[in-house]
Amino acid sequence: MIKSVGRALSSTRSRASVALVSTTVLLAGCAGSGGSATATAGSARTPAALAGAFPGKKATGTPVRIGLITNEGGATTSQPETRESAQAAMKYANADLGGIAGRPIELVICKTKEEPATARDCANRMVEQKVDAVVLTSSGLGDSMVPIVTGAGIPWTTSIAASNSEGTTANAFSWTGGFPTTMTSMAAYAKEKGYKKVAAFVIDVPAAVSGVEAIGKPVFAKAGVGLQIVTMAAGTPDASPQVSAALRNKPDAVAVVGESTVCTSVLQAMGTLGAGVARMSVQSCVAPEVVDAVGPGMDGLQVFSSFDVAGDDIEAQLYRQVMKEYSPGTPTQGYAAIGYQGVLGLVRALHGLTGTVSPKTITAALHSARNVVLPAGHGITFTCDAKAVPGLPSACSAKEVTGTMSGGKLEKMGVVDPGPLFAR
């Protein structure tokens, strides 16, 4: 199931071919006069391996307005780093990739504060501003927003679908299988490890809890693993009571699905009460504040995500370089890359778009997107033909990136293919 870096490099996808595929997609449709000269200029400021990724094709003309909805400014949940990485991806695309159809991207930003009212306000603002497409960085409130946006004929895109509407609505696109594939990848990993019982600590928001109930339990059962769900209020400072109660059932492993405060409280409690019990988590649990608070207790945590930002893969190197140039103050660990992945994924999926740019032409181009390299995706590609994940027509890929925490860093990066658990 899990392909380690070493095994991946010894398979048909060699390191050179991964670099070639990534660079080819980055530059598709960008060739023109002076291409070699700008590539040489780019290599002066970047590592040699990334020289071709900075061709210097500057976008010109009237901007293409793309809505960016972020989870930011809320009382319990705020992820400004996802907006910052999205803006970095926009600046990179405008400076080096010709933006969208040769025109610069302008982001129309709205912050949901992770509240239904502000989420609906953001969706309505996208319609009022007549954006050509919407990118969501991170939110559990997609069901409040997607119908408004797609109902106005505007395509909805995200890197990780976290709601039913994002996974099933016509003209909604998720570069990965989102939360369903995260849970299925965890189940595949648990099966491979021989676990029989897993306790999942899940942030108490509708999308997360309903997702684990509706998707997590069935796929874990299909893998032969029992799943106990323990809900955690956002911002819970001490998870000791919940962890203690869950450990009485003697699980072989625990899984953590939540924002940084929930991650910190659960992992700290596990260090005290559950030493020796295997742990799995989503990417948000390796945010810098979590790593700092939990310390050595992070070691051995198996992390499931749509992206690799710490490894030697060419896409991880590109992410770090773009962030270094365009958003140097943003921590690159944790969940920041989701905004970068969402915006750059859209740019790559539209690399062949020419002529008129509108919601209609963008939607058509996305439906025809094939084998697009997922930004920071450790070699994963996505195809938006509604076939990647059964029952989730909006999902464009089923695979997940995984890695193990050691010494405060993610190591042993690989890819999980949970396809067999999706098979009917």
Side-chain angles (χ1 to χ4, degrees):
M1 286 283 188
I2 298 174
K3 300 191 294 182
S4 67
V5 174
R7 287 170 59 192
L9 294 182
S10 65
S11 70
T12 55
R13 184 188 295 274
S14 68
R15 183 182 311 224
S17 65
V18 170
L20 177 60
V21 170
S22 297
T23 305
T24 299
V25 173
L26 277 168
L27 306 184
C30 296
S33 62
S36 61
T38 54
T40 302
S43 67
R45 72 184 189 194
T46 61
L50 297 176
F54 291 87
K57 183 176 181 181
K58 187 177 178 64
T60 60
T62 304
V64 176
R65 289 162 58 81
I66 301 296
L68 183 74
I69 299 178
T70 72
N71 174 353
E72 189 172 350
T76 59
T77 306
S78 182
Q79 297 172 317
E81 66 275 15
T82 67
R83 168 184 47 79
E84 293 164 0
S85 74
Q87 290 172 309
M90 174 202 69
K91 293 173 184 177
Y92 164 58
N94 287 345
D96 281 286
L97 305 181
I100 292 175
R103 293 164 51 186
I105 302 164
E106 176 188 330
L107 293 180
V108 178
I109 298 171
C110 192
K111 304 171 184 179
T112 68
K113 299 183 180 180
E114 203 57 9
E115 300 166 348
T118 53
R120 288 191 294 271
D121 286 345
C122 281
N124 285 318
R125 183 185 174 198
M126 298 299 114
V127 176
E128 293 165 1
Q129 292 289 317
K130 297 182 179 180
V131 299
D132 292 304
V134 167
V135 176
L136 172 72
T137 62
S138 171
S139 175
L141 299 172
D143 287 335
S144 298
M145 297 183 281
V146 173
I148 296 172
V149 172
T150 58
I154 300 169
W156 175 278
T157 71
T158 185
S159 180
I160 300 180
S163 65
N164 182 65
S165 293
E166 290 172 282
T168 61
T169 301
N171 300 335
F173 303 85
S174 176
W175 309 147
T176 69
F179 191 61
T181 56
T182 297
M183 294 307 301
T184 308
S185 295
M186 284 187 178
Y189 178 82
K191 178 180 180 180
E192 182 178 298
K193 288 294 184 180
Y195 302 152
K196 297 302 180 184
K197 293 191 293 185
V198 171
F201 297 93
V202 183
I203 187 170
D204 194 6
V205 298
V209 176
S210 63
V212 176
E213 287 279 3
I215 298 164
K217 274 198 169 183
V219 296
F220 269 80
K222 191 170 184 178
V225 183
L227 186 67
Q228 174 192 5
I229 299 172
V230 182
T231 59
M232 304 288 300
T236 298
D238 182 9
S240 296
Q242 295 93 329
V243 169
S244 179
L247 290 176
R248 292 191 194 109
N249 292 324
K250 300 188 183 303
D252 300 301
V254 302
V256 189
V257 179
E259 42 73 51
S260 58
T261 304
V262 166
C263 294
T264 298
S265 61
V266 171
L267 293 173
Q268 285 179 331
M270 284 296 300
T272 303
L273 303 171
V277 178
R279 293 149 297 143
M280 302 181 285
S281 82
V282 293
Q283 179 72 29
S284 54
C285 287
V286 294
E289 61 269 25
V290 180
V291 176
D292 290 343
V294 180
M298 296 291 292
D299 287 353
L301 178 68
Q302 194 70 27
V303 181
F304 295 81
S305 171
S306 70
F307 48 79
D308 165 18
V309 299
D312 294 329
D313 180 83
I314 192 72
E315 284 292 322
Q317 292 185 54
L318 176 60
Y319 167 71
R320 294 193 296 268
Q321 186 65 31
V322 169
M323 294 301 289
K324 178 181 178 181
E325 292 198 22
Y326 295 111
S327 192
T330 303
T332 56
Q333 297 291 336
Y335 216 48
I338 201 70
Y340 166 93
Q341 194 172 64
V343 169
L344 189 55
L346 177 65
V347 172
R348 290 183 177 180
L350 299 178
H351 75 270
L353 181 62
T354 58
T356 301
V357 178
S358 67
K360 185 175 180 179
T361 60
I362 287 178
T363 299
L366 292 177
H367 277 301
S368 64
R370 298 290 183 272
N371 300 318
V372 180
V373 173
L374 181 67
H378 203 81
I380 294 172
T381 62
F382 65 87
T383 293
C384 298
D385 61 358
K387 298 178 181 179
V389 180
L392 292 174
S394 300
C396 300
S397 173
K399 295 181 180 179
E400 285 266 315
V401 178
T402 189
T404 307
M405 287 296 291
S406 177
K409 298 180 180 180
L410 271 172
E411 298 182 347
K412 300 179 181 177
M413 303 303 297
V415 172
V416 180
D417 183 356
L421 290 182
F422 283 121
R424 294 177 177 175

